Amino acid sequence: MVVHRTVAVNGINMVVAEQGEGPLVLLLHGWPETSHSWRHQIGPLADAGYRVVAPDQRGFGRTDRPAGVEQYTMLHLVGDVVGLIEALGEEPAIVVGHDWGAPVAWHTALLRPDLVRGVAGISVPPAPRAPAPPLSLLRAHFGEGFYQIYFQRPGVAEAEFGADIRATFRTLLGGSAQAPVVQDGEGFLDRFTTPEQMPDWLEDEDIDVAVESFERSGFTGGLNWYRNIDRNWELLAPWHDARITPPAYYLCGENDLTRAFTDSTAMAKAAADLRGVVDVAGAGHWVQLERPDEVNAALLGFFGSL
């Protein structure tokens, strides 16, 4: 049975979902999600003999939302994970992340390898530090309308997503996306086609959870993660060309849109002990929801190798 509780971590109160006993596994959600995005993983991984903990990360769900943009850097996010491992009384842990949670997982393994038994990323691969500030590279390649640049404008994306939160999540979770480059006069959601009927892996109750969560939290905390992309590049300069040393694993849906702007060819350069790369045929970005049995089996296979 999943238990929700609040843990004091790194100067904030973090709400976690927890189940099981055994080696610690942390599941880090992405944007715009909460711990609910791991609803098909928590039970099966716990039943397989692991203590599974999925937090609402900084700025999301019932976890605290600091006011300053600068309080959402990668160092803060990794600090939250480190603090959570310590608060749970476990070390080292297996750290798994999806979407934005994947870079947090990769950087936790990079910065604190002593606390990480193994690290797995879903959707976003491990990557070496960029040769220049990332937003400048994205502008040069995709133009000013690339969604990560669109998200830099204070209040703009918040107003778009908050205008009708239910419609926002029906579109983001259930829709299909074109190239994520916002055209003049458009919003980010205009890049998506929303089906009349949601996919069979997405229940109305799941949309309800998302609506209730983001009505409470708003969107600014999560968007602040994007607003630190260049600041992260500056802060992580001491680790330029450093490699992730704990055992690593990568999984991605075959049709994940992030493939258009991430470089999976550099994984071996970024991770010294890359133990597996899995493409889930026919799956999209929300692969852990679309194909939970395959994702769970793959993760347990990786966990068993550690």
Side-chain angles (χ1 to χ4, degrees), residues 75 110-111 129 231-242:
L75 296 185
L110 176 66
L111 304 184
R129 180 172 175 268
R231 185 180 282 114
N232 290 336
W233 182 82
E234 296 174 2
L235 292 172
L236 292 167
W239 292 274
H240 188 79
D241 283 342

Side-chain angles (χ1 to χ4, degrees), residues 40-41 122 200-201 251-255 279-299:
H40 301 311
Q41 282 68 53
I122 300 173
D200 57 10
W201 51 266
L251 185 147
C252 190
E254 179 186 29
N255 300 324
D279 288 325
V280 182
H285 181 64
W286 314 105
V287 61
Q288 81 275 27
L289 303 177
E290 298 175 47
R291 307 284 276 280
D293 291 345
E294 292 175 54
V295 170
N296 296 345
L299 290 177

Side-chain angles (χ1 to χ4, degrees), residues 147-212:
Y147 82 101
Q148 294 184 14
I149 297 168
Y150 172 74
F151 286 174
Q152 302 302 310
R153 307 166 194 166
V156 174
E158 285 96 328
E160 180 188 0
F161 300 142
D164 185 337
I165 296 178
R166 184 170 299 277
T168 291
F169 281 98
R170 285 178 62 85
T171 298
L172 288 176
L173 298 179
S176 56
Q178 306 171 43
V181 179
V182 179
Q183 305 299 319
D184 288 343
E186 285 187 339
F188 178 67
L189 298 176
D190 293 321
R191 296 281 84 201
F192 289 75
T193 300
T194 306
E196 292 184 9
Q197 183 174 349
M198 292 293 100
D200 57 10
W201 51 266
L202 185 61
E203 302 288 342
D204 288 341
E205 291 80 3
D206 299 322
I207 300 292
D208 292 341
V209 171
V211 171
E212 189 273 336

Side-chain angles (χ1 to χ4, degrees), residues 10 73-83 85 92 95 102-119 126-129 231-246 270-271:
N10 194 25
T73 72
M74 187 59 70
L75 296 185
H76 288 84
L77 303 176
V78 170
D80 294 345
V81 176
V82 170
I85 293 172
V95 185
V104 178
W106 297 129
H107 281 91
T108 301
L110 176 66
L111 304 184
R112 290 300 305 270
D114 56 309
L115 296 181
V116 178
R117 285 184 61 209
V119 57
R129 180 172 175 268
R231 185 180 282 114
N232 290 336
W233 182 82
E234 296 174 2
L235 292 172
L236 292 167
W239 292 274
H240 188 79
D241 283 342
R243 301 180 80 192
I244 296 163
T245 54

